[in-house]
Amino acid sequence: MKRRTKIVVLGSALLRTAGAATAATATTTASDASAQREAAALTGTAKLYRSAGDDITFSFDAHLAGADQADPMKATGTFEWSHYLNGEGAWAKAKVDCLVTGGKVAVVSGVVTDTDLPGEKGKRVGITVHDLGRHDRLGYSWATTEDLGPKDLPKCVSSAPFEKVRQGTGDFTVVPWQPDF
């Protein structure tokens, strides 16, 4: 009988020790998670709706680290898009140079690093996304300019999200920026 008691006491001590370790780990993990939270993000892929059947795809992988919350121009990542109709079109990829979000709306800008559209490499472009679940919307800075727009477009500038995402493809996710004001 004493043997069983020792096992139970030893088992209780182990459980208390394990419980304390688990609680300490949970506390550490919770504080690490809050320190690791991104200040803002825009991710996902969707196709735009066009009645003529254009194949237009936008993809985003843009992030602003929690440590850089005060400076949206320290955002990192890439975004890319393509536009084809009847086998003709172009694609481009840009390196993120600014990301600002507010609620479910994000504005990201970047410089075109790779494209098959002549003369567009090196130009800054901006895109706005409104994360509405499966009914996302999108706008882009070159909507009212020729080609992709001017090389000297300021960072984090775009247009209202006037384009509709094709039904069933909207999966953009916006992490809201919450600056300390």
Side-chain angles (χ1 to χ4, degrees):
M1 195 65 129
K2 286 185 180 181
R3 206 169 192 190
R4 247 188 214 174
T5 304
K6 284 182 182 177
I7 293 171
V8 170
V9 170
L10 181 58
S12 295
L14 284 173
L15 286 174
R16 280 195 305 272
T17 304
T22 303
T25 301
T27 302
T28 301
T29 304
S31 65
D32 288 347
S34 64
Q36 300 280 337
R37 182 193 182 275
E38 289 184 297
L42 170 59
T43 58
T45 299
K47 292 183 174 286
L48 296 188
Y49 170 76
R50 290 286 176 87
S51 59
D54 300 47
D55 182 8
I56 306 171
T57 304
F58 282 84
S59 295
F60 301 93
D61 187 21
H63 305 271
L64 179 63
D68 295 324
Q69 180 168 332
D71 189 355
M73 289 182 270
K74 288 189 177 179
T76 61
T78 60
F79 56 95
E80 53 191 89
W81 65 97
S82 61
H83 184 167
Y84 294 96
L85 179 62
N86 301 323
E88 293 185 27
W91 60 270
K93 183 175 185 176
K95 180 180 177 190
V96 171
D97 63 11
C98 187
L99 172 66
V100 176
T101 64
K104 294 291 190 172
V105 176
V107 176
V108 63
S109 64
V111 176
V112 176
T113 57
D114 203 8
T115 183
D116 62 355
L117 194 58
E120 299 308 318
K121 194 171 181 179
K123 288 187 177 180
R124 178 173 291 112
V125 295
I127 302 174
T128 304
V129 169
H130 192 180
D131 177 5
L132 296 168
R134 302 300 281 176
H135 304 285
D136 296 339
R137 297 182 70 91
L138 188 137
Y140 35 85
S141 59
W142 60 91
T144 58
T145 62
E146 291 182 31
D147 296 323
L148 293 183
K151 186 174 183 174
D152 59 350
L153 179 77
K155 292 180 180 180
C156 273
V157 171
S158 186
S159 69
F162 60 92
E163 294 268 16
K164 292 180 182 177
V165 169
R166 187 182 302 168
Q167 187 173 358
T169 71
D171 76 344
F172 296 136
T173 301
V174 174
V175 173
W177 184 44
Q178 299 170 344
D180 296 328
F181 290 130

